[in-house]
Amino acid sequence: MLIDTTQLALERSISGAAQRHEALAANLANASTPGYRRVDVDFHGTLAAAMGTGDKATVEHTAFTTQADPSVGVTQADGNSIDVDNESAKLAANALEQQAAVSVLKARTAIIRSALGVA
Amino acid sequence: MSMFGGLEISGSALTAQRLRMNVTAENIANAETTKGADGNPYRRKEVTLQSVGQAGTFGSQLSRAMGTSGVAPGGVQATEITEDQTNGKLVYDPGHPDANEEGYVRMPNVDTVTEMVDLIDAQRAYEANVTAMTAAKQMFAKTLEILR
């Protein structure tokens, strides 16, 4: 089994982090748009559920949903629910997470390559 | 989801915030303009921002084809620049060429303090979006490392 579930999950989490970055960037872009409600991608939850099944194909075809986040109420008088500090923190954490996932994926690929005897 | 979606979203915000800064600068520049091209005192201008969906873009089509549901996060755009129709204050200055019969001059409805606050707000928003862009760039660079 050359490509295992973990490797597939790493690949999906990189993709999920990219999708989440778009959602968080959109939140920051709309920080002064009246009535805008924040959106987010719960790729951790979706991926954890997919990994829980233990089925490789399920993990490989996990799709993430960008959806409105009802947990955060309106923070500004114009009906906007964006807290710039909070969004920036989430964005920075998400970027680090993506970079960590890429590093782990690369390390695992290197192990497979060395096992195959490819330089 | 497209490779450069994040950059496009942040880019649209940079455009919108820069426009806000320009309009605010115009307001401050004209804080004492008692006669414009139409003969009336200057009226402060305001930018209306609106979020845009990505319904027609390549990225959203691709993610729909890949089975990604939910909302497509979009950027922001300035939809219109409106004039604030409230009247400015009257200042007693009989020697002023624009003074009325009683010697009062109608000043522009620009409050410099409000404009400064708007300017700072636009500047901070601009910086936040530049940071988001930098993060996106780092993520892409890291992803490309897989190939090395």
Side-chain angles (χ1 to χ4, degrees):
Chain A
M1 196 155 61
L2 201 58
I3 307 293
D4 62 354
T5 319
T6 313
Q7 196 77 352
L8 292 170
L10 279 168
E11 185 259 315
R12 291 317 297 156
S13 74
I14 292 168
S15 174
Q19 194 179 331
R20 184 155 190 248
H21 177 85
E22 274 187 31
L24 298 176
N27 288 344
L28 268 182
N30 286 289
S32 5
T33 307
Y36 181 84
R37 305 304 298 265
R38 82 177 294 269
V39 291
D40 208 336
V41 183
D42 181 24
F43 76 91
H44 296 109
T46 315
L47 198 58
M51 287 183 80
T53 65
D55 178 32
K56 244 173 96 169
T58 311
V59 175
E60 191 174 0
H61 297 109
T62 314
F64 308 110
T65 318
T66 307
Q67 53 197 354
D69 179 7
S71 68
V72 179
V74 173
T75 55
Q76 289 168 36
D78 59 5
N80 191 305
S81 69
I82 301 300
D83 173 5
V84 178
D85 302 310
N86 200 348
E87 296 300 330
S88 304
K90 284 195 168 78
L91 194 115
N94 185 59
L96 281 176
E97 219 172 287
Q98 189 262 6
Q99 290 171 19
V102 169
S103 297
V104 177
L105 183 90
K106 229 187 127 186
R108 289 179 61 97
T109 314
I111 292 169
I112 297 170
R113 287 170 74 92
S114 118
L116 290 171
V118 193
Chain B
M1 176 191 61
S2 68
M3 179 73 175
F4 297 107
L7 283 179
E8 278 167 24
I9 291 166
S10 299
S12 75
L14 294 189
T15 311
Q17 298 300 339
R18 183 169 286 280
L19 179 72
R20 264 183 85 201
M21 271 194 225
N22 289 347
V23 168
T24 312
E26 185 190 326
N27 287 343
I28 297 173
N30 286 289
E32 304 290 329
T33 307
T34 50
K35 196 178 258 178
D38 57 351
N40 294 318
Y42 177 81
R43 285 184 192 281
R44 72 181 286 263
K45 295 191 176 75
E46 232 171 341
V47 179
T48 315
L49 297 179
Q50 197 181 49
S51 64
V52 283
Q54 289 187 317
T57 61
F58 170 75
S60 66
Q61 300 281 353
L62 180 67
S63 52
R64 200 170 310 129
M66 286 174 74
T68 314
S69 55
V71 292
V76 65
Q77 71 176 12
T79 45
E80 58 177 341
I81 299 175
T82 43
E83 280 192 345
D84 186 343
Q85 291 302 324
T86 55
N87 280 321
K89 60 178 190 281
L90 285 169
V91 172
Y92 185 67
D93 186 1
H96 198 284
D98 293 328
N100 61 14
E101 301 86 60
E102 286 102 41
Y104 284 96
V105 182
R106 176 74 70 187
M107 298 303 288
N109 56 355
V110 177
D111 178 13
T112 335
V113 177
T114 313
E115 300 305 328
M116 286 313 291
V117 171
D118 277 355
L119 195 66
I120 293 167
D121 188 51
Q123 192 186 351
R124 292 283 175 269
Y126 193 91
E127 282 167 11
N129 283 293
V130 170
T131 313
M133 255 181 154
T134 315
K137 235 172 58 186
Q138 283 168 353
M139 284 168 74
F140 297 147
K142 190 74 188 173
T143 307
L144 288 176
E145 264 184 35
I146 299 177
L147 298 170
R148 276 199 234 132

